[in-house]
Amino acid sequence: AFEPAPPAPPERPAPDTFAELTPVESSRIRTPGLHRPGLGVPSVGRLYPGGPNAPRGGYQQAVTAIALPAAGRGRQVALTDPELVEAVDLGTGRVPLAMDLEAPLDATRALGPGIFRGLRYLLRADTFSGEARVSFLQPYDPAKRPLVLIHGLMTTPRMWDRLVRELLADPCVREQYQIWFFCYPTAQPVPLSALQLRTALNDAVAWHDVRQSMVLVGYSMGGVLARAQVSTLTLAQAERILPGVSDLPKDHLARQALVFEPRADVSRTVFMFTPHRGSRLATLNVAVWATRLIRLPDWVRNEASDMLSALRGLPEGRLPTSIQGLSPRSRFLAELDRAPPAVPAHTILGNRGRRHPLSRSSDGVVPYSSAHLPAAVSEVVVPTGHGGFDHPKSIAELK
């Protein structure tokens, strides 16, 4: 059968396509591999708006301004892509071209709101502006595979900052992958957030005509959302999770969130510090107290109200929050854990560097018994706590 050729890689933007250009006046090398000394002035060019998956403030592109000899004795200023052009020929030999890939990361808003917004979006999900969405770090490139980073409870994509820098400092990763982020309010029921991720990925794939398979990387609760993308939940399983859901129309939000099949466009998943079988911290008094403070968006509460007459499984007639959904007693987690992921999976987990037997270890939030995935093709234990997603050993394993 005839297979249409994938779209050609996009041409690099011309100087007049930038909304603005900002020279990097003083380059501070913080991440080796993102900088190169040489000819020219490293700059940041802003592309705006850039499509539905662009950062709120537009894309930030690394460029280098150089003055080249022109006709007569003049000079011609040109903008070059330092990732594509490593050196220029001045007639007397090739000279390295200056590069600063860290400045665009400092300027970009692709990583979303600050980390303190994560707490706000947990307690007041109704203040989350817009919809849960997938945003790209750089303009879409059909020649590169999407690497989708999914944050966890009470965080935002800003948590990935250090990890992203370390990944992009690796030329192999930089040349083969494009980084996508999923941003969502983390108070919502876990199945609903998983559905929003599925929908957001569908929209991005359709809009950009994505042909490359994706790699999903989920941290903590984000790992549960990733697992839902590569797993199957049948209607019978959904009925065990939420009795009465089979009586709802197929296009009802609750049924869509609980009945699904693995995505065909995901080739691999990486679970980082993921509570596949829940965490007891979700059942502690402080967690129970926190759930009472959570205010879900009006549209979610309205959906819950509409379901009450049809469903028999909502505890106390209320839609469970994400914290309750991460309890070891979660029916959703139990059913999701019945079958291995449909694609190769890798596990990165922590034991806080303690010498306890691995089976009794924990990262302080998620015990080994919950983070361990028997079907994983690899497992690495990092001597750190639950926040060790950007530990050097975690990053090395992800690479």
Side-chain angles (χ1 to χ4, degrees), residues 192-238:
L192 176 58
S193 294
L195 172 61
Q196 290 178 335
L197 172 58
R198 192 175 304 116
T199 301
L201 290 176
N202 288 344
D203 291 345
V205 167
W207 178 271
H208 299 280
D209 191 22
V210 178
R211 308 291 182 88
Q212 299 271 15
S213 61
M214 293 182 279
V215 174
L216 305 183
V217 178
Y219 163 69
S220 192
M221 185 173 73
V224 177
L225 307 191
R227 185 167 182 179
Q229 310 307 307
V230 295
S231 303
T232 298
L233 269 188
T234 66
L235 185 57
Q237 288 179 288

Side-chain angles (χ1 to χ4, degrees), residues 90-159:
L90 299 182
T92 57
R94 293 181 61 80
V95 178
L97 187 71
M99 179 181 75
D100 187 336
L101 301 183
E102 197 146 24
L105 295 178
D106 292 337
T108 190
R109 295 180 62 188
L111 293 173
I115 55 176
F116 293 108
R117 287 287 187 93
L119 176 59
R120 181 182 179 185
Y121 293 154
L122 172 67
L123 298 179
R124 292 297 303 275
D126 55 331
T127 65
F128 186 84
S129 58
E131 299 179 350
R133 67 190 296 262
V134 168
S135 61
F136 300 171
L137 181 62
Q138 297 169 324
Y140 173 69
D141 186 344
K144 297 182 179 181
R145 298 177 63 188
L147 179 64
V148 186
L149 304 181
I150 310 160
H151 66 80
L153 186 70
M154 206 171 66
T155 59
T156 72
R158 183 68 58 180
M159 61 162 273

Side-chain angles (χ1 to χ4, degrees), residues 291-310:
T291 61
R292 295 172 181 171
L293 298 178
I294 291 176
R295 181 178 176 83
L296 295 173
D298 289 340
W299 70 271
V300 175
R301 289 186 283 117
N302 291 339
E303 287 282 350
S305 178
D306 293 341
M307 288 190 297
L308 290 180
S309 60

Side-chain angles (χ1 to χ4, degrees), residues 196-347:
Q196 290 178 335
L197 172 58
R198 192 175 304 116
T199 301
L201 290 176
N202 288 344
D203 291 345
V205 167
W207 178 271
H208 299 280
D209 191 22
V210 178
R211 308 291 182 88
Q212 299 271 15
S213 61
M214 293 182 279
V215 174
L216 305 183
V217 178
Y219 163 69
S220 192
M221 185 173 73
V224 177
L225 307 191
R227 185 167 182 179
Q229 310 307 307
V230 295
S231 303
T232 298
L233 269 188
T234 66
L235 185 57
Q237 288 179 288
E239 188 68 26
R240 290 197 291 267
I241 297 170
L242 205 57
V245 71
S246 57
D247 297 330
L248 298 174
K250 290 184 178 180
D251 61 351
H252 194 283
L253 188 69
R255 185 158 169 168
Q256 288 182 322
L258 294 177
V259 180
F260 48 80
E261 294 182 350
R263 299 186 64 95
D265 53 6
V266 174
S267 61
R268 194 171 298 272
T269 57
V270 181
F271 300 115
M272 306 183 79
F273 306 83
T274 297
H276 294 288
R277 286 162 285 281
S279 169
R280 291 183 178 178
L281 288 185
T283 64
L284 296 181
N285 289 337
V286 66
V288 175
W289 175 77
T291 61
R292 295 172 181 171
L293 298 178
I294 291 176
R295 181 178 176 83
L296 295 173
D298 289 340
W299 70 271
V300 175
R301 289 186 283 117
N302 291 339
E303 287 282 350
S305 178
D306 293 341
M307 288 190 297
L308 290 180
S309 60
L311 301 182
R312 305 180 295 277
L314 286 177
E316 303 177 359
R318 296 180 57 192
L319 202 62
T321 66
S322 56
I323 294 179
Q324 294 165 317
L326 295 177
S327 163
R329 297 190 293 268
S330 167
R331 301 175 188 175
F332 178 74
L333 292 183
E335 294 297 334
L336 194 63
D337 196 45
R338 287 183 180 273
V343 299
H346 305 264
T347 297

